[in-house]
C-alpha cells in the first residue's frame, strides 16, 4: 500500500474526527450549539458551518423538549428522511415523514403550479402532531412554511432551514429568521439533505436518543 | 413578505441554478466533465468541487458505456442509495444496492473487527454483475476496494470515491487514484452521500436516462 493510513479503530473514528474539528477550529463555540455545529462540519468537512449557522433564542432547549415530547420530523427529501436516526427518534415516540413522492402532493402541485415541496408543506400543516421541519433542499418549502405561520395555520416546534442552492435559497432563509418560530438556519447558499439530517441527529443525540 | 423573491417557475429552477453556476465560475470547464462538476456545485453550493474533482482517463465514456450496459451501483450509505435516480438507472436495467444494514454484514464486521463498510464491499465483490461503486461516507470502503482490486478479486466499471471527513479520507482517495480502475474522486476531505448520489445522477442524465 502506497499511502500511510492512520490506525483508528472503527468505533473511534467519529470521536477522533470531532477532536480534529475542535483542534482545527482553534476557538470555542457556544456550548449549547457546539454539538450541532461540529456535526455539520463532520458531515461536510466544510468549516463554513462554524460561521453560517444561526440559532434563534433558546432553540436547543426548545428542540430537545419537543423531541422528548414525541415531536415528529417532516423533511422535504427522501434523502434527509433516510439519513435521520429513526431508532433514536422512535425512543421518544417520534417518526419521520416525507410527502414529496405522494401522488396527492404531485397532483396538488400540478394543479396549483407550485413545487411539490410547497404542496407537501400544506399536507404537513394538516397533521395534528407537534412537528419539526427539516428542510434541506427546497426554498419553496421554507417560503410556504413562512406563509402558513403568518396565516396562523401552523405552529412548528422548530424549523431546520438549510436548503442548498442558487435560486431563492438565501431569501427563503432570511424569511424564516423573521418568522415567529424557533429556527436553526444555515445562512447563505449552503446546506443540503445531509445537513438537515445531521442537525436532526445532533439534537437526537443531545436528547439522549443514541444507543 | 419582507424579502424579495426571484420569480422562477418550478420547472426552471434547476436550469437557472446551472446558469448562475456557469456565470460565477467565470471560466470554461472541460466539456465532458462539466455536467458532473456543475451538478456537484449545484448539490453543495460549494465551488471547491470545480478544483477538487479528479477524473481518470476517458472515465466519462467508460461510465456511460457501463450504465448503458446495465451496470448496477453499490453505495456505502442508505442516503446515497436514496438520492440516486433509480428510475433513470432502471431504464438500462441497473439497480442500486446498499448492504450496510444487512445482518450478515454487521456480523462479519464484528467478527473481523472491521467497519461494516469494509464487510459490505466484500459482499459486493461476490456479485457477478458489472458494478459501479459510489462511496460517499466510508474511507474504509475505498481501502477495501483498493485491496480487492489489487488481489484480482474485483474489477469495477467505475469507483466514485467521495467519502467526507477527517480520518483516512484523504489517504483512501489517494489509494484509489493509484489503483487500476476508472475513477471519479473528490480530492481532499470533502464529499458525502449527496455528492456520491449526484455524480451518479449526472452520469445517468448524460446517458439519457432522465425523463
Amino acid at each position: 500500500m502506497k499511502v500511510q493510513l492512520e490506525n483508528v479503530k472503527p468505533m473511534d473514528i467519529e470521536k477522533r474526527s470531532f477532536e480534529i474539528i475542535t483542534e482545527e477550529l482553534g476557538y470555542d463555540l457556544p456550548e449549547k450549539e457546539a454539538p450541532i455545529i461540529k456535526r455539520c462540519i463532520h458531515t461536510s468537512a466544510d468549516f463554513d458551518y462554524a460561521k453560517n449557522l444561526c440559532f434563534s433564542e433558546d432553540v436547543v432547549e426548545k428542540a430537545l423538549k419537543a423531541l422528548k415530547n414525541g415531536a415528529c420530523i417532516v423533511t422535504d427529501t427522501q434523502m434527509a428522511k433516510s439519513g435521520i436516526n429513526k431508532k433514536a427518534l422512535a425512543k421518544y415516540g417520534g417518526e419521520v415523514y416525507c410527502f414529496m413522492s405522494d401522488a396527492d402532493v404531485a397532483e396538488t402541485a400540478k394543479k396549483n403550479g407550485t413545487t411539490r415541496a410547497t404542496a407537501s408543506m400544506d399536507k404537513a400543516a394538516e397533521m395534528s402532531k407537534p412537528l419539526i421541519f427539516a428542510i434541506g433542499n427546497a426554498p419553496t418549502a421554507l417560503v410556504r412554511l413562512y406563509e402558513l405561520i403568518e396565516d396562523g395555520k401552523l405552529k412548528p416546534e422548530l424549523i431546520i432551514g438549510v436548503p442548498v442552492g442558487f435560486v431563492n435559497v438565501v431569501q427563503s432563509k432570511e424569511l424564516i429568521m423573521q418568522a415567529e418560530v424557533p429556527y436553526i438556519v444555515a445562512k447563505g447558499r449552503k446546506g443540503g439533505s445531509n445537513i438537515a439530517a445531521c442537525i436532526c441527529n445532533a439534537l437526537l443525540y443531545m436528547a439522549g436518543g443514541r444507543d
Side-chain angles (χ1 to χ4, degrees), chain A:
Chain A
M1 210 168 282
K2 300 157 201 166
V3 304
Q4 191 66 41
L5 293 171
E6 200 178 341
N7 189 13
V8 180
K9 285 182 192 149
M11 64 181 71
D12 296 329
I13 292 172
E14 184 173 307
K15 185 169 160 275
R16 178 75 192 115
S17 300
F18 276 77
E19 286 168 3
I20 294 170
I21 292 166
T22 305
E23 281 163 29
E24 294 196 14
L25 259 175
Y27 61 91
D28 288 336
L29 296 167
E31 198 184 330
K32 281 174 196 162
E33 289 107 9
I36 298 166
I37 297 169
K38 287 183 186 174
R39 190 163 290 276
C40 288
I41 297 171
H42 178 254
T43 287
S44 61
D46 189 341
F47 282 84
D48 278 6
Y49 288 99
K51 305 281 182 199
N52 69 19
L53 284 168
C54 301
F55 299 84
S56 65
E57 211 181 325
D58 299 328
V59 67
V60 176
E61 291 89 331
K62 288 175 186 173
L64 298 186
K65 196 177 161 191
L67 286 171
K68 288 176 184 174
N69 284 338
C72 289
I73 299 175
V74 177
T75 71
D76 67 332
T77 59
Q78 304 296 347
M79 266 192 97
K81 180 178 173 182
S82 170
I84 293 169
N85 189 327
K86 284 161 283 287
K87 204 172 153 189
L89 182 61
K91 200 167 161 180
Y92 300 113
E95 286 178 83
V96 189
Y97 297 90
C98 176
F99 302 124
M100 291 294 288
S101 317
D102 293 7
D104 58 339
V105 162
E107 202 177 308
T108 308
K110 198 175 174 186
K111 195 180 71 188
N112 297 339
T114 71
T115 63
R116 283 183 296 144
T118 300
S120 73
M121 294 303 111
D122 286 334
K123 182 164 178 174
E126 302 294 322
M127 294 171 78
S128 56
K129 300 178 182 182
L131 295 179
I132 290 171
F133 288 85
I135 307 300
N137 186 55
T140 52
L142 286 190
V143 172
R144 189 64 186 138
L145 287 177
Y146 174 84
E147 292 168 346
L148 288 164
I149 294 165
E150 288 288 294
D151 293 350
K153 291 177 181 163
L154 184 68
K155 200 172 155 48
E157 305 295 315
L158 166 68
I159 293 178
I160 297 168
V162 294
V164 59
F166 297 88
V167 177
N168 288 332
V169 165
V170 171
Q171 296 94 314
S172 71
K173 292 169 177 173
E174 294 294 330
L175 262 185
I176 289 301
M177 291 193 281
Q178 292 168 11
E180 286 292 323
V181 69
Y183 65 76
I184 299 173
V185 161
K187 221 176 152 120
R189 287 171 166 177
K190 287 185 178 177
S193 300
N194 52 341
I195 296 294
C198 97
I199 293 174
C200 293
N201 290 340
L203 290 167
L204 283 165
Y205 302 158
M206 290 165 87
R210 199 173 203 178
D211 290 333

